Amino acid sequence: MDSMILLSLLSNVICFYLIFILWKKLDQQGKTNQLDSTEDLAELLELFAQEMKEENARLQEIILQYSKEARSTNVSTSSEVQSEQVKTDSSAQFQHDNHPERNKVLLLAREGYNAEEIAKKLDRGKGEIELLLKFYA
């Protein structure tokens, strides 16, 4: 009977030793997996940063190209607009506009009427007339 107890204790000690060895191996594998996943994550972030740099450089080129085109068109259109403004009379400009109510308001304002008088003549609100005058006069 003593031998059975001794054999049972010995088998328990061996089982604990094997469990401890397995636990160490699993712990090492977990650490290497964490290192691998950390390295993979760092590599992915580096690739993402590289792609963002390339995308930013391409976007800057597009913006520069657009601004150059806008400058060249602004120079030509601003000179055209200035020459047209010199040629046309202000009342003629209002007649070609697609907003007859606004044109009436602006013409009355040029004739010297104030916002309240224009509002009464056109049967509009004083605030509406003042707003139109602020924007277009």
Side-chain angles (χ1 to χ4, degrees), residues 39-100:
E39 290 172 0
D40 290 342
L41 183 61
E43 189 176 319
L44 283 173
L45 287 174
E46 288 176 21
L47 288 172
F48 179 71
Q50 181 73 22
E51 288 177 10
M52 290 300 293
K53 286 179 183 177
E54 292 171 0
E55 187 71 24
N56 286 341
R58 193 172 48 164
L59 183 61
Q60 283 180 333
E61 289 176 17
I62 290 171
I63 290 172
L64 287 175
Q65 188 177 27
Y66 177 76
S67 65
K68 286 178 184 177
E69 290 174 2
R71 285 182 194 148
S72 64
T73 57
N74 281 344
V75 169
S76 64
T77 55
S78 66
S79 62
E80 291 173 5
V81 167
Q82 287 175 353
S83 64
E84 286 180 16
Q85 284 178 349
V86 170
K87 292 179 185 176
T88 59
D89 183 31
S90 61
S91 61
Q93 277 183 326
F94 295 139
Q95 291 173 358
H96 294 295
D97 201 354
N98 291 333
H99 302 284

Side-chain angles (χ1 to χ4, degrees), residues 90-91 94 99-124 129 132-133 136-137:
S90 61
S91 61
F94 295 139
H99 302 284
E101 281 294 313
R102 183 178 68 196
N103 294 341
K104 289 178 187 176
V105 170
L106 295 175
L107 286 173
L108 289 171
R110 288 189 186 252
E111 290 176 8
Y113 293 100
N114 65 20
E116 191 174 327
E117 294 169 338
I118 296 172
K120 286 180 182 176
K121 282 191 174 211
L122 297 178
D123 196 29
R124 297 285 181 174
I129 301 300
L132 281 172
L133 290 175
Y136 297 106

